Amino acid sequence: WENFTGTVAEAVQQTFISACDRAYTQVTSGSLSYTKAYMEALETVVTDGVKVRYPSGHEDTIETVTLRCIRTGASQATAEITLARMEEMNWDIILVSSHMGARVTGREDFTNHYWWQGKFYSKSGEDKRFPPFSVCGFGHVQGIHGANCRHHIGPGDGEHNPFRGFNSKENQKAYELSQKQRAMERRIRKSKQEVMGLRKGVEAAENPEAKAAAEEKYQKAAALLQDRNKAYSDFCEENNLKKLSERLKIAKWDREE
């Protein structure tokens, strides 16, 4: 069995796909935490390059893609298992979870996670008391259980809903803060890659002038990384956000680094 996570990365990048398959098995079997599996997969694939290119032409860093692939693959597996059990039990009503900061697009379709979260749906579409589950876009990259989606589904009774509704302005603010946090995390990962590369350049340079030039760039990059780390910590503290260490990791970056 291969490619459990359903990645659309080009098949030539087999190392990446195999590493994600292994991480998927580790996470869904409970043998490793998702963060630990992510790091092991990352260490495996980084030797083959730091970018993944999709058939569409879109590129992402290996850290971003590995984390997204494992998270999304495990999420989709739990959804498929839930739907299969509901089918066996002839249970039609689905309850979708909700969370603060759900994705907002301004459209009333599956791309707007705030619009469809925290509600009951009919799996078959035949129970007219509830909207058909298809409106949530299951199976689409931007829909429920799509890329980076944090929602989950389960059987519902159509009456008791433990998921609270969120004020649209409150949710919009939380979503915008999360996007700013993601942008800061991307900049920190980029700085770490630059710092490591420049340090290797300093160590490899034999010409004194080249070594001095590389050392100067390395010191500037290290100072920028320090500034970005502080800005990230301050931003999270000011806005009561949890710092997500797994989103700041890059391969080979340990305590010594």
Side-chain angles (χ1 to χ4, degrees):
W1 288 7
E2 294 182 326
N3 204 8
F4 302 110
T5 44
T7 174
V8 294
E10 293 174 343
V12 68
Q13 298 167 93
Q14 192 58 53
T15 301
F16 163 70
I17 294 173
S18 298
C20 285
D21 284 343
R22 183 165 55 256
Y24 168 95
T25 305
Q26 291 167 335
V27 172
T28 54
S29 67
S31 61
L32 278 185
S33 71
Y34 132 106
T35 299
K36 180 67 174 176
Y38 157 62
M39 286 309 299
E40 287 196 3
L42 183 57
E43 295 287 348
T44 300
V45 298
V46 73
T47 55
D48 280 41
V50 296
K51 290 286 183 72
V52 170
R53 176 181 291 117
Y54 292 92
S56 65
H58 176 74
E59 281 190 351
D60 269 320
T61 64
I62 198 67
E63 291 83 10
T64 297
V65 173
T66 305
L67 186 57
R68 179 197 301 137
C69 193
I70 297 170
R71 179 194 297 119
T72 305
S75 170
Q76 290 172 351
T78 60
E80 293 284 3
I81 292 169
T82 298
L83 291 172
R85 298 295 84 79
M86 290 179 67
E87 187 73 25
E88 290 175 2
M89 300 298 292
N90 195 30
W91 196 272
D92 189 61
I93 302 174
I94 292 176
L95 176 59
V96 173
S97 69
S98 65
H99 66 80
M100 176 65 79
R103 190 180 307 163
V104 178
T105 63
R107 301 193 298 270
E108 291 190 353
D109 63 13
F110 62 84
T111 65
N112 188 344
H113 291 206
Y114 174 75
W115 175 67
W116 49 249
Q117 71 172 0
K119 301 176 183 177
F120 293 106
Y121 294 90
S122 169
K123 184 166 67 70
S124 66
E126 296 177 358
D127 190 334
K128 301 307 178 184
R129 294 176 300 167
F130 311 106
F133 180 56
S134 58
V135 303
C136 298
F138 182 67
H140 194 285
V141 67
Q142 291 183 291
I144 189 169
H145 288 286
N148 286 331
C149 179
R150 291 193 284 134
H151 291 95
H152 59 84
I153 61 174
D157 62 4
E159 297 179 9
H160 301 90
N161 186 345
F163 297 107
R164 56 173 291 202
F166 296 103
N167 176 274
S168 60
K169 291 184 179 180
E170 190 180 34
N171 183 84
Q172 178 72 35
K173 180 180 179 181
Y175 176 68
E176 291 173 355
L177 286 173
S178 72
Q179 295 307 292
K180 290 179 181 178
Q181 187 179 15
R182 298 293 87 78
M184 296 178 84
E185 290 160 354
R186 287 192 294 271
R187 288 194 288 269
I188 288 174
R189 293 196 302 269
K190 185 175 185 297
S191 281
K192 286 181 175 180
Q193 291 283 12
E194 292 174 352
V195 166
M196 287 187 69
L198 289 169
R199 185 171 64 80
K200 291 180 185 299
V202 172
E203 294 171 352
E206 297 180 357
N207 180 288
E209 292 182 3
K211 184 180 287 289
E215 176 69 28
E216 182 180 358
K217 288 187 176 182
Y218 165 71
Q219 293 295 341
K220 289 181 179 179
L224 178 60
L225 173 59
Q226 192 172 31
D227 290 344
R228 286 179 169 175
N229 278 327
K230 183 179 186 306
Y232 180 74
S233 296
D234 291 346
F235 177 80
C236 291
E237 184 175 350
E238 290 168 5
N239 293 284
N240 196 29
L241 298 172
K242 179 182 178 182
K243 291 194 289 186
L244 302 173
S245 59
E246 71 270 16
R247 288 182 175 271
L248 302 177
K249 292 182 183 296
I250 65 169
K252 308 298 184 183
W253 188 278
D254 53 21
R255 185 178 297 276
E256 181 183 354
E257 298 296 333

